[in-house]
Amino acid sequence: MPNTELHETARALVAEGKGILAADESGGTIKKRFDTIGVESTEENRRAYRNLLFTTPGVEEYISGVILYDETIRQKADDGTPFPELLASKGVIPGIKVDQGAKPLAHAEGETVTEGLDGLRQRLEEYRGLGARFAKWRATYSISDTLPSEYCIWTNAHALARYAALCQEAGIVPIVEPEVLQDGTHSIERSGFVTSRVLAAVYTELFDQRVDVEGTLLKPNMTLSGYDASDRAGVDEVAEATLHTLSKHVPAAVPGIVFLSGGQSDEDATAHLNAMNAVGPHPWQLSFSYGRALQAPALKAWEGKPECVEAGQRAYYHRAKMNAAARTGAYGPEMEREAAVV
Ligand code: 13P
């Protein structure tokens, strides 16, 4: 029987004019981010930074859900309210990263498989009790002339589908995130080919493992030229190539596609999403689930200083507003110059 709660949650996460904030950096990743601003990665600093983001006045107009990390879902805002409760009180849906990271894949030099299936049923039950209504699992694939291998593609697809099925059993919407990394010198055509191959395997496994795709969201990479390619595709070409790739593999029953930013500049990530939404209609909502592209300016403005919290919030609010505009194709670079008013 279809689970209408899952369908409703998935649709709410891609409500018009809204997208998702990925604030689920693991301990290692948040340390890397803090290193760039010279802030020590202590539990209290991590809490204070997430508090800044989650208490930004008015940002719920543009943000439908927030992905939390295991530590964060257990932390509290300055006023003592648990973060999931604080978010829910603003109409923002709490989510949780449940994978335990990409680990070296045996017998496959340079490739990874994402771990975290052991005990996942119990962890999902606990997270639901803590307020989570959706989850995330990220698989990664590197592009070279010969990679990714079919072995890596199918092993990760199988794990993504096992995760998704367990989430649905627990009443949690799975965000399925197969990220084809865009580091390297590859062409946009090769990026499209590899992403196609990966998505075909992912949707085969989801179907075979009885996942109801109407109660899922897809979080893919955009189809880009490699970051080190000499002649990189422009905004319209990226939009066209990405739509072409997705249209071949993502069932129309999937309610939404929420892109990751994956190391694009903030403004590129916004411009690419905007260009795709400017040429609709599409069978799915096209939205964002950005980490770096929503947070980078906020992190820089904050610098770990209590007196800079408001500046950090203004920077985050501004990026959320720009990406919300890109949900309808209404974004233009001139909007970047507008004062970011909280
Ligand atoms: P980026 O937008 O920084 O790629 O992060 C999104 C994410 O959640 C990666 O798993």
Side-chain angles (χ1 to χ4, degrees):
M1 214 178 58
N3 181 329
T4 51
E5 185 196 339
L6 289 177
H7 297 180
E8 278 163 22
T9 303
R11 281 199 299 268
L13 286 166
V14 290
E16 206 175 310
K18 291 187 184 185
I20 296 170
L21 166 68
D24 61 331
E25 295 83 2
S26 63
T29 304
I30 196 73
K31 179 178 183 315
K32 264 195 255 164
R33 306 277 185 265
F34 278 11
D35 282 350
T36 66
I37 54 163
V39 170
E40 197 190 341
S41 183
T42 61
E43 184 176 349
E44 173 50 24
N45 284 342
R46 295 191 291 271
R47 191 206 62 80
Y49 175 58
R50 267 67 181 248
N51 185 80
L52 174 161
L53 296 172
F54 305 161
T55 61
T56 295
V59 80
E60 56 274 16
E61 191 179 341
Y62 310 121
I63 297 294
S64 56
V66 173
I67 315 175
L68 304 167
Y69 184 56
D70 182 76
E71 175 185 271
T72 323
I73 200 170
R74 303 169 197 280
Q75 285 177 323
K76 296 185 169 77
D78 290 349
D79 70 358
T81 312
F83 279 144
E85 204 177 298
L86 170 84
L87 293 167
S89 74
K90 292 168 179 277
V92 176
I93 305 172
I96 180 77
K97 181 226 293 289
V98 302
D99 70 68
Q100 294 179 332
K103 305 288 160 58
L105 177 62
H107 294 173
E109 170 115 28
E111 298 197 284
T112 61
V113 62
T114 299
E115 295 188 350
L117 289 169
D118 288 354
L120 183 56
R121 180 178 268 125
Q122 291 72 26
R123 287 196 290 129
L124 286 167
E125 198 180 306
E126 187 197 2
Y127 288 140
R128 190 172 154 106
L130 290 168
R133 291 294 175 271
F134 73 104
K136 180 190 111 172
W137 177 290
R138 172 175 175 257
T140 60
Y141 316 81
S142 298
I143 300 186
S144 74
D145 290 343
T146 51
L147 301 183
S149 64
E150 287 293 303
Y151 166 37
C152 171
I153 288 171
W154 285 99
T155 309
N156 276 295
H158 191 264
L160 274 165
R162 282 196 62 198
Y163 140 81
L166 283 164
C167 282
Q168 291 194 329
E169 223 186 53
I172 288 181
V173 169
I175 293 188
V176 174
E177 182 178 1
E179 178 177 4
V180 178
L181 301 166
Q182 302 297 316
D183 304 298
T185 56
H186 58 263
S187 65
I188 191 168
E189 289 79 15
R190 175 117 182 100
S191 173
F193 174 79
V194 171
T195 305
S196 265
R197 198 65 211 84
V198 164
L199 292 176
V202 166
Y203 280 100
T204 300
E205 286 290 345
L206 290 174
F207 182 79
D208 284 354
Q209 296 189 43
R210 307 174 183 179
V211 172
D212 170 12
V213 292
E214 236 178 300
T216 68
L217 295 173
L218 175 69
K219 178 162 173 170
N221 53 284
M222 295 182 194
T223 300
L224 304 174
S225 318
Y227 290 132
D228 298 322
S230 49
D231 189 17
R232 303 198 62 222
V235 172
D236 290 337
E237 205 184 332
V238 167
E240 197 185 329
T242 304
L243 288 168
H244 184 62
T245 308
L246 296 169
S247 66
K248 287 186 288 185
H249 302 287
V250 186
V254 172
I257 295 174
V258 293
F259 292 101
L260 57 92
S261 60
Q264 303 178 58
S265 76
D266 317 331
E267 294 185 21
D268 280 356
T270 310
H272 288 148
L273 178 64
N274 187 69
M276 287 186 257
N277 277 312
V279 297
H282 306 294
W284 348 261
Q285 293 294 313
L286 291 179
S287 186
F288 56 91
S289 174
Y290 293 159
R292 283 162 286 181
L294 275 171
Q295 294 185 48
L299 199 58
K300 219 162 127 189
W302 173 56
E303 286 186 313
K305 298 178 184 148
E307 66 274 21
C308 295
V309 164
E310 276 184 35
Q313 292 186 328
R314 273 197 299 276
Y316 166 49
Y317 182 92
H318 180 67
R319 285 262 52 85
K321 186 174 172 182
M322 296 300 98
N323 286 300
R327 289 279 281 105
T328 55
Y331 167 79
E334 69 287 350
M335 292 166 69
E336 298 289 352
R337 289 191 293 276
E338 277 175 14
V341 201
V342 170

